[in-house]
């Protein structure tokens, strides 16, 4: 199956598999096996982050498959992300080294600034204020973080660098200063939240879009019973029946046909295998239009802990609703 997974080429000539395994919110104790199952199923792209607190399990899964001779390190594309408490330039290298140790790797294929807003430096990933609703901010500007990301590429311990959760204005600020432009902007993207203007801007600037939560993140911890469930949407279910595919397969295929890299998360072997079986069918023009019409600006991951931060990417969206 690995040979069936299409790749997207970055502006620097490097390429990334269009389908990857997401590892956010995966239950502890299940991640290593999920990674092993994904590699067995043909996945060669694994998406990680320090803040997920499971990179040591990802590393265990990768190491096992390399030891078995199923893959070589160079066959894999591994992504991780610089967390918000490490934006200060002198902390970037140490944060990466921690990730590499946890993943048991000597280099990353892609390293992203996870969010544009910086949090107070320290051991706490979410340094909460006394009210428990907001984090303490740091005054570091992500534009000052970027040159340190570039140095990681210079040394060879990172092959490509990029962004995550940056709005178009913030992407442009990075594009205005770099020696090395960002390879990708990883953003929430699904039929309830297309972010069409942002994705069009990124494509125009040669920045690949990576779509996270493509299935609507049904297992997100803060989901409410009254929230709409994307995979149960009548349009999605009808298209799944039309193509004799699952709702998840339709949603993943949708992102691929939009030209996006897509990283659905699962720890269930059957679903991991099923999620990769999306290169043998095509959504037609009418299917694509129906899914596009589902837009409801339904952002699922607002990072509300940092509302009020000058670099919060969605502050304008939530200005009228945030307390």
């Amino acid at each position: 199956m690995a040979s069936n997974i299409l790749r997207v080429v970055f502006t620097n000539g490097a390429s990334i598999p269009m389908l990857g395994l997401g590892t956010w919110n995966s239950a502890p104790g299940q991640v290593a096996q999920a990674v092993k199952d994904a590699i067995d199923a043909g996945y060669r792209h694994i998406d990680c982050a320090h803040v997920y607190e499971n990179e040591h399990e990802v590393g265990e899964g990768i190491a096992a498959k390399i030891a078995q001779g199923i893959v070589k390190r160079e066959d894999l594309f591994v992504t991780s992300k610089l967390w918000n408490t490490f934006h200060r330039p002198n902390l970037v290298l140490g944060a990466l080294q921690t990730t590499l140790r946890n993943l048991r790797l000597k280099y990353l294929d892609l390293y992203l600034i996870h969010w544009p807003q910086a949090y107070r430096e320290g051991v706490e990933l979410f340094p909460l204020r006394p009210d428990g609703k907001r984090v303490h901010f740091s005054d570091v500007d992500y534009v000052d973080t970027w040159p340190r990301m570039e140095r990681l590429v210079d040394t060879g311990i990172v092959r490509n660098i990029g962004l995550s959760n940056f709005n178009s204005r913030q992407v442009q600020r990075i594009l205005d200063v770099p020696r090395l432009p960002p390879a990708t902007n990883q953003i929430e993207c699904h039929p309830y939240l297309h972010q069409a203007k942002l994705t069009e801007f990124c494509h125009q600037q040669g920045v690949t879009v990576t779509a996270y939560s493509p299935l609507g993140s049904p297992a997100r911890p803060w989901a409410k019973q009254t929230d709409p469930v994307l995979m149960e949407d009548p349009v999605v279910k009808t298209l799944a029946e039309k193509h004799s595919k699952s709702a998840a397969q339709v949603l993943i295929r949708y992102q691929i046909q939009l030209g996006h890299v897509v990283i659905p998360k699962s720890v269930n072997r059957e679903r991991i295998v099923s999620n990769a079986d999306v290169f043998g069918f095509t959504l037609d023009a009418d299917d694509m239009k129906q899914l596009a019409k589902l837009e409801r600006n339904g952002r699922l991951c607002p990072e509300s802990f940092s509302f009020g931060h000058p670099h919060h990417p969605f502050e304008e969206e939530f200005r009228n609703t945030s307390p």
Side-chain angles (χ1 to χ4, degrees):
M1 187 179 293
S3 61
N4 294 332
I5 296 179
L6 303 176
R7 300 179 75 95
V8 171
V9 179
F10 296 145
T11 55
N12 65 2
S15 67
I16 180 174
M18 289 193 83
L19 177 72
L21 177 73
T23 60
W24 173 67
N25 199 33
S26 293
Q30 299 180 349
V31 182
Q33 187 60 49
V35 169
K36 289 186 278 189
D37 289 340
I39 291 174
D40 286 341
Y43 288 70
R44 296 296 180 262
H45 173 191
I46 312 294
D47 183 85
C48 320
H50 176 77
V51 75
Y52 301 166
E53 298 187 275
N54 59 16
E55 288 191 324
H56 59 292
E57 292 190 48
V58 174
E60 177 186 337
I62 290 173
K65 288 302 166 182
I66 291 177
Q68 291 174 14
I70 304 299
V71 289
K72 298 177 181 178
R73 169 63 184 95
E74 55 267 29
D75 297 329
L76 299 175
F77 192 103
V78 182
T79 299
S80 190
K81 309 177 190 78
L82 178 76
W83 183 238
N84 305 357
T85 53
F86 302 111
H87 281 205
R88 199 166 296 284
N90 67 315
L91 300 178
V92 173
L93 176 59
L96 171 65
Q97 290 172 332
T98 297
T99 278
L100 290 175
R101 283 194 300 271
N102 286 335
L103 291 172
R104 308 187 193 183
L105 300 177
K106 294 182 179 179
Y107 70 91
L108 287 180
D109 298 276
L110 178 62
Y111 199 39
L112 311 177
I113 299 179
H114 203 153
W115 290 85
Q117 66 271 29
Y119 294 171
R120 184 180 68 186
E121 298 76 15
V123 296
E124 295 178 280
L125 295 174
F126 293 90
L128 292 176
R129 300 180 187 183
D131 64 6
K133 297 179 180 179
R134 296 289 184 273
V135 294
H136 289 282
F137 301 156
S138 170
D139 62 359
V140 181
D141 191 321
Y142 54 84
V143 169
D144 296 323
T145 308
W146 189 254
R148 290 302 176 103
M149 299 285 285
E150 293 176 322
R151 289 190 198 178
L152 302 178
V153 178
D154 295 339
T155 62
I157 51 178
V158 168
R159 300 291 171 83
N160 303 277
I161 51 177
L163 310 170
S164 181
N165 297 299
F166 277 54
N167 63 34
S168 56
R169 179 184 58 81
Q170 293 167 332
V171 173
Q172 185 62 61
R173 286 191 73 213
I174 291 291
L175 289 171
D176 288 342
V177 302
R179 259 187 321 111
L180 302 175
T184 192
N185 187 19
Q186 185 178 125
I187 58 174
E188 180 184 340
C189 195
H190 46 77
Y192 286 168
L193 183 76
H194 285 89
Q195 306 208 72
K197 291 183 179 179
L198 175 57
T199 58
E200 181 181 2
F201 172 79
C202 288
H203 290 150
Q204 289 174 345
Q205 300 300 320
V207 178
T208 297
V209 170
T210 299
Y212 74 73
S213 296
L215 310 182
S217 192
R220 64 192 184 279
W222 51 87
K224 301 175 182 177
Q225 289 187 338
T226 55
D227 288 345
V229 179
L230 177 59
M231 287 199 290
E232 296 179 4
D233 189 285
V235 170
V236 176
K237 293 175 73 173
T238 297
L239 292 178
E241 292 175 6
K242 172 182 175 180
H243 293 280
S244 299
K245 294 291 182 180
S246 69
Q249 288 171 322
V250 167
L251 294 169
I252 293 166
R253 180 69 197 180
Y254 182 56
Q255 293 299 324
I256 289 169
Q257 289 187 213
L258 290 173
H260 301 163
V261 177
V262 59
I263 47 171
K265 164 258 172 182
S266 182
V267 294
N268 178 281
R269 186 181 185 280
E270 290 184 1
R271 286 196 290 270
I272 288 171
V273 172
S274 175
N275 288 348
D277 186 18
V278 292
F279 295 95
F281 78 104
T282 302
L283 299 172
D284 62 36
D286 184 63
D287 298 338
M288 297 293 284
K289 288 179 181 177
Q290 289 189 59
L291 290 167
K293 289 179 181 178
L294 295 181
E295 175 67 72
R296 53 174 75 189
N297 296 314
R299 188 176 296 282
L300 304 172
C301 302
E303 192 62 16
S304 57
F305 279 127
S306 53
F307 281 145
H309 195 294
H311 296 313
H312 193 293
F314 321 132
E315 192 69 23
E316 187 171 343
E317 269 181 46
F318 291 91
R319 187 171 295 162
N320 296 326
T321 58
S322 61

